[in-house]
Amino acid sequence: MSLHSTQTLAYDVERIRQDFPILGVRPHGKPLAYLDNAATTQKPRCVLDAMTHYYTHLHSNVHRGVHYLSEQATAAYEHARDIVASFIGARRREEIIFTRGTTESINLVAASWGGAFLRPGDEILLTVFEHHSNIVPWQLVAQRTGAQLRVVPIEQDGSFSVDRALEAITERTRIVALAHVSNVLGIVVPVAPIIEHAHRVGAVVLLDGAQAVAHLDVDVAELDCDFYAFSSHKVYGPTGIGVLYGKAEFLERMPPYHGGGDMIRRVTFERTTYNDLPYKFEAGTPPIAEAVGLGRALEYVDSIGRAAIAAWEEHLVASCIEQLVQIDGVRLLGPERGRAAVVAFSVEGVHPHDIATFLDREGIAIRAGHHCAQPLMDFFGIPASSRISVAMYSTEEEIERAATALRKCITVFRL
Amino acid sequence: MELSDELRQLYQEVILDHHRAPRNYGNLEPHTHQAEGYNPLCGDQIELFLRVNDAGIIEDVRFTGQGCAISRASASLMTEALKGKSLAEAHALFERFHRAVTTEPTAPVDADSLGKLVVLLGVREFPTRIKCATLPWHTLEQALAGGGTTTTE
Ligand SMILES: Cc1ncc(COP(=O)(O)O)c(C=O)c1O
């Protein structure tokens, strides 16, 4: 507690805000309160500069030319891989595969690992709060292989019971694929006992870290997960690039996902031998400038400090929940505690779309919709919900503005 | 906190009233036409029922479903406007309404030809919300074309 309060005191959010040029935008003439960070985060100037610098001074194709610029570009791209590896605690750089994002990372594992190793009757274990991108790829591979999906439920109050997940892991479970942080419930899933239990029955574990990497200190070696997926754009980096971490022992045995240039060693029309990790999974010209931007973003996060960011966000989330639960008719989705950065809610008699439009005119950006988690909306019996999500540059004042506008909105619609 | 003019235009009292107390809400048995409309973007969903007599006149029309204030008010106002109309008139009204809400916010419209529906024109200032206003109408077209599910995105 005292640790947190000293950290939040020392946290200079105004200085951090100076690093994000877009925060100066004035929607509808009002100051911007960007509270849709779970959808995507904004970019600090150093990321924009790093990408411009790359295109201005270093750009060429990677791994192909012997000329100066190709060496420069390759070095920049591979340096980004080193930054990612160290940021998430991967032991080996070749365990970091650049993809287009979380979605592609999960599709890669489902198609390549799942396609090669799933058999009829095998079980793929998910939770009810998975994002569509951690559901549909598994449905596709289940159809192809005859494996079955099983779904861990949550409690009526929206909390998650680890015991239920442990019970659902059986001898037939081949993979457990679950969110590290839910993009709706906001819960930080206690993954350690799940991973341990899954390994005991010989199952592998994929964590969808899309909502985790910007808010937690993720260490894949310590977690001992087999795969970890995340998107650059949700951790202050550019769009168009993401990461798949995979233990080398798995990646080595998996067939390629896409075929093309860079992923091969030797091609004849009869037979192709594949390149080593990580290139086996990086067919075609990769998003080089985006990798550079991602690397810079992660360095930026570490320059602020992940513990300090987490403490600040925890403080904002607690304050947000405190204000929301006092509003008549507001129902919080998920538990009040144990959250990272995300607060979703529904309001009796007022549709999330109307709330979002109303707040937008005040310059406040929040999300309204099903958040790509329709099974979870069905569980709660609602078509959609509203979501406030914070980032390192969010302020208490922004949260207060959102709560005030929400109260006003409710009075207009309920009159 | 004062409401902006655009918000006041969008959420006029008539719209809030139809949102809070939608007209012709519920199932209709027996019915001759039925369709479902769905907007996957926001989860809005509507089911529409019509009873059309042998002379091709809409005798009764009702709807159920979940949606935002705009889609609910639009559905409610639509059901009021449709009663007693012929199928050809209903289709013509769909076309007039659709054209009106998808024009530029400043474009002149023939208010008389829309009747009470003019209160919905505020959505023209809110591009992301136009689909909310047109969902019930696309569902109407679907119902008249023989039923099924229509999806707007
Ligand atoms: C939990 C979770 N998984 C996966 C994704 C998909 O990420 P992306 O669209 O960047 O591939 C998201 C983001 O929307 C998410 O919140």
Side-chain angles (χ1 to χ4, degrees):
Chain A
M1 185 61 222
S2 57
L3 178 68
H4 277 176
S5 37
T6 43
Q7 270 174 350
T8 45
L9 275 183
Y11 194 84
D12 191 351
V13 70
E14 286 310 323
R15 223 221 68 236
I16 291 171
R17 291 178 70 83
Q18 301 295 317
D19 294 337
F20 290 81
I22 204 169
L23 297 180
V25 166
R26 292 178 62 85
H28 316 294
K30 304 278 170 58
L32 170 67
Y34 185 75
L35 296 172
D36 192 17
N37 292 286
T40 193
T41 53
Q42 301 299 349
K43 319 306 169 199
R45 190 178 284 106
C46 63
V47 167
L48 311 179
D49 289 349
M51 293 174 75
T52 304
H53 179 265
Y54 167 79
Y55 277 128
T56 314
H57 301 285
L58 310 173
H59 176 65
S60 174
N61 212 324
V62 289
H63 305 140
R64 294 186 187 174
V66 289
H67 54 76
Y68 173 80
L69 282 179
S70 182
E71 277 172 15
Q72 294 288 312
T74 304
Y77 181 66
E78 293 303 330
H79 179 57
R81 195 187 310 276
D82 290 332
I83 297 173
V84 172
S86 115
F87 190 84
I88 63 167
R91 293 214 173 90
R92 298 163 58 178
R93 64 187 316 278
E94 62 270 28
E95 295 180 319
I96 301 299
I97 294 160
F98 285 124
T99 64
R100 280 193 296 138
T102 310
T103 302
E104 192 180 61
S105 296
I106 298 173
N107 273 279
L108 189 163
V109 177
S112 167
W113 180 88
F117 299 113
L118 287 172
R119 298 282 170 268
D122 285 351
E123 288 178 359
I124 300 164
L125 190 64
L126 312 174
T127 78
V128 70
F129 53 81
E130 295 313 313
H131 189 279
H132 294 165
S133 64
N134 197 27
I135 300 175
V136 184
W138 300 111
Q139 283 173 331
L140 292 171
V141 72
Q143 280 160 16
R144 260 171 57 207
T145 60
Q148 315 248 313
L149 296 193
R150 283 196 60 190
V151 181
V152 182
I154 53 172
E155 307 308 308
Q156 277 311 313
D157 65 359
S159 65
F160 175 73
S161 143
V162 182
D163 289 342
R164 291 220 195 222
L166 299 183
E167 276 162 32
I169 298 172
T170 69
E171 295 294 322
R172 311 176 77 158
T173 310
R174 291 301 308 277
I175 184 160
V176 183
L178 82 167
H180 195 183
V181 170
S182 159
N183 70 321
V184 179
L185 305 171
I187 47 173
V188 181
V189 178
V191 290
I194 298 173
I195 294 170
E196 200 188 314
H197 194 62
H199 285 167
R200 212 174 297 136
V201 302
V204 308
V205 179
L206 174 142
L207 295 182
D208 170 354
Q211 297 297 342
V213 168
H215 312 289
L216 309 179
D217 197 346
V218 173
D219 185 321
V220 289
E222 195 182 303
L223 285 167
D224 196 31
C225 57
D226 305 295
F227 297 104
Y228 199 96
F230 71 94
S231 300
S232 152
H233 70 96
K234 292 187 201 276
V235 58
Y236 310 103
T239 57
I241 188 166
V243 170
L244 173 67
Y245 158 82
K247 283 183 184 162
E249 59 190 280
F250 289 99
L251 295 174
E252 266 153 15
R253 301 199 333 259
M254 284 159 52
Y257 176 49
H258 289 149
D262 259 5
M263 53 78 70
I264 48 83
R265 176 161 296 140
R266 167 119 184 91
V267 177
T268 66
F269 280 107
E270 289 68 42
R271 205 179 118 76
T272 294
T273 46
Y274 306 125
N275 205 339
D276 294 333
L277 292 177
Y279 311 109
K280 179 170 96 179
F281 291 106
E282 293 183 358
T285 299
I288 311 166
E290 287 75 6
V292 169
L294 168 60
R296 192 69 194 90
L298 299 181
E299 287 178 335
Y300 178 78
V301 168
D302 271 341
S303 76
I304 309 289
R306 281 188 263 181
I309 295 170
W312 177 250
E313 291 173 344
E314 191 183 320
H315 162 74
L316 293 176
V317 164
S319 153
C320 180
I321 291 177
E322 199 181 299
Q323 297 183 55
L324 290 185
V325 295
Q326 281 173 20
I327 304 175
D328 191 33
V330 168
R331 171 186 178 203
L332 191 66
L333 304 187
E336 287 194 22
R337 291 171 182 284
R339 288 174 176 263
V342 171
V343 183
F345 57 94
S346 63
V347 181
E348 179 80 48
V350 191
H351 193 279
H353 232 163
D354 295 316
I355 296 173
T357 291
F358 202 95
L359 267 59
D360 173 59
R361 291 286 143 161
E362 289 301 313
I364 304 162
I366 69 162
R367 182 70 180 273
H370 51 58
H371 316 301
C372 297
Q374 283 176 336
L376 184 60
M377 297 296 117
D378 292 344
F379 174 88
F380 284 118
I382 51 178
S385 67
S386 308
R387 180 180 72 189
I388 290 175
S389 52
V390 300
M392 62 157 84
Y393 42 68
S394 303
T395 67
E396 235 167 317
E397 191 220 333
E398 290 175 323
I399 301 283
E400 269 159 35
R401 278 176 59 202
T404 305
L406 179 63
R407 280 192 295 268
K408 171 86 182 174
C409 169
I410 292 172
T411 42
V412 169
F413 280 90
R414 285 237 196 93
L415 267 183
Chain B
M1 196 179 109
E2 279 301 305
L3 288 199
S4 69
D5 289 346
E6 290 92 1
L7 270 186
R8 226 177 283 123
Q9 273 303 113
L10 180 66
Y11 295 121
Q12 295 183 30
E13 210 33 63
V14 181
I15 288 183
L16 291 176
D17 177 48
H18 278 260
H19 161 60
R20 292 185 201 115
R23 321 297 196 266
N24 304 306
Y25 190 86
N27 294 319
L28 178 64
E29 294 299 344
H31 57 259
T32 54
H33 296 69
Q34 176 274 348
E36 271 178 62
Y38 181 58
N39 181 343
L41 197 69
C42 51
D44 282 3
Q45 171 252 325
I46 171 181
E47 189 165 8
L48 185 70
F49 308 90
L50 298 113
R51 186 157 66 232
V52 180
N53 68 18
D54 293 342
I57 302 296
I58 298 172
E59 276 185 348
D60 205 354
V61 45
R62 294 203 196 160
F63 78 101
T64 62
Q66 293 172 307
C68 64
I70 305 303
S71 73
R72 243 161 105 100
S74 178
S76 175
L77 287 158
M78 179 183 82
T79 58
E80 285 194 322
L82 288 178
K83 274 194 208 179
K85 290 221 161 37
S86 72
L87 294 184
E89 285 167 340
H91 178 69
L93 187 59
F94 162 82
E95 296 220 305
R96 283 204 299 279
F97 178 74
H98 195 269
R99 205 176 312 120
V101 292
T102 51
T103 54
E104 287 294 305
T106 50
V109 285
D110 178 6
D112 288 348
S113 75
L114 291 172
K116 269 170 93 175
L117 301 173
V118 287
V119 296
L120 288 161
L121 292 184
V123 295
R124 295 185 301 173
E125 289 281 358
F126 296 80
T128 56
R129 304 303 301 278
I130 291 169
K131 295 259 151 67
C132 308
T134 57
L135 177 65
W137 294 84
H138 285 292
T139 313
L140 168 69
E141 285 290 284
Q142 182 82 25
L144 297 181
T149 302
T150 186
T151 304
T152 63
E153 250 178 294

